[in-house]
Amino acid sequence: MKQRLAVGAAAAFTAVGAALAAPTAAAGAAAGSELTYGSSILLQNQYGGDGGYLDTNGRSAQSGATYDVSTNQTPNSRGPATSVWKVVSATGKANGTRVTSGDVIYLVNQYGSGTYLDTNGRSTRQGAKYEVSTTVTKDRGPGTGKWHIFAKTSSPRDGHIRTDDIVRLLNDYGSANGGFLDTNGRSTQQGAKYDVSTSPYTDRATGTGSWKVLPVT
């Protein structure tokens, strides 16, 4: 009798251990949504619940810049892949590696031959810090093309960034003092929604510095 009880207990213990070791379906789904280097995304501003999608729009007049940056109500409605951004590591992490909150990245717009999101010159917008445009070089100035990416939260809370997470992007110019990517006022660009600049604050107004990471569909 004692022998049968011991065998039963051992079997139950083994079953519990196997259940704990096996990945759940939910965990697999979360892993599938993790942001990795080399992937392309959309970034939806959260001002008013929908501040538009980060987008390139027309030639920039800024010295050394290529395209102006604004938001657009509908992604890629103005041109092929104008709202699509490839995530590239600024610290040498390989494509396929998971993006972690606090990483330093480049964002490469996929319109045409690809240009880097960049700060360029002081902004005249009230409450703004620097103008934002794109350029053909990774760093037009020291750190102008580098962005620290911070997630507000994620599930599970393991530090990785996933689609549908809200992130904030801090420019690295001046030793990470280039300000947070921000929408600020209506844009005068044809087909655009809001102007994009940087701000000293994570959210200059409710949601202006918050961006939702979305897959390219």
Side-chain angles (χ1 to χ4, degrees):
M1 179 65 177
K2 289 181 179 179
Q3 187 179 15
R4 287 199 299 272
L5 288 173
V7 170
F13 182 79
T14 301
V16 170
L20 290 174
T24 64
S33 68
E34 287 175 339
L35 182 61
T36 57
Y37 286 109
S39 59
S40 292
I41 58 172
L42 304 173
L43 287 166
Q44 183 190 36
N45 189 258
Q46 296 302 289
Y47 176 66
D50 178 12
Y53 295 84
L54 191 67
D55 187 74
T56 50
N57 188 333
R59 289 282 173 180
S60 174
Q62 295 294 111
S63 177
T66 305
Y67 298 115
D68 272 327
V69 172
S70 52
T71 65
N72 184 18
Q73 184 60 51
T74 305
N76 304 321
S77 62
R78 289 185 326 89
T82 57
S83 303
V84 177
W85 301 85
K86 184 177 180 179
V87 183
V88 176
S89 174
T91 59
K93 291 186 178 182
N95 284 350
T97 305
R98 291 175 291 193
V99 180
T100 300
S101 183
D103 279 0
V104 186
I105 66 172
Y106 293 110
L107 286 169
V108 187
N109 190 256
Q110 296 302 287
Y111 176 72
S113 57
T115 52
Y116 293 82
L117 189 69
D118 184 75
T119 51
N120 189 332
R122 287 281 177 181
S123 175
T124 58
R125 294 267 173 177
Q126 186 175 2
K129 197 164 188 177
Y130 294 111
E131 293 284 351
V132 173
S133 51
T134 67
T135 181
V136 294
T137 54
K138 284 184 177 180
D139 281 300
R140 185 192 47 76
T144 58
K146 293 185 175 77
W147 301 84
H148 298 253
I149 185 168
F150 300 101
K152 184 177 180 182
T153 188
S154 193
S155 181
R157 294 185 177 182
D158 53 8
H160 301 146
I161 296 174
R162 296 171 173 80
T163 53
D164 290 326
D165 284 353
I166 303 298
V167 299
R168 294 182 175 112
L169 293 154
L170 174 64
N171 189 255
D172 198 53
Y173 178 66
S175 299
N177 197 29
F180 291 89
L181 191 69
D182 184 76
T183 51
N184 189 331
R186 287 283 176 179
S187 174
T188 58
Q189 292 292 111
Q190 185 175 0
K193 190 169 187 178
Y194 293 115
D195 190 66
V196 173
S197 50
T198 65
S199 165
Y201 305 107
T202 54
D203 269 317
R204 183 188 50 78
T206 306
T208 58
S210 298
W211 303 82
K212 181 182 279 191
V213 177
L214 294 171
V216 178
T217 56

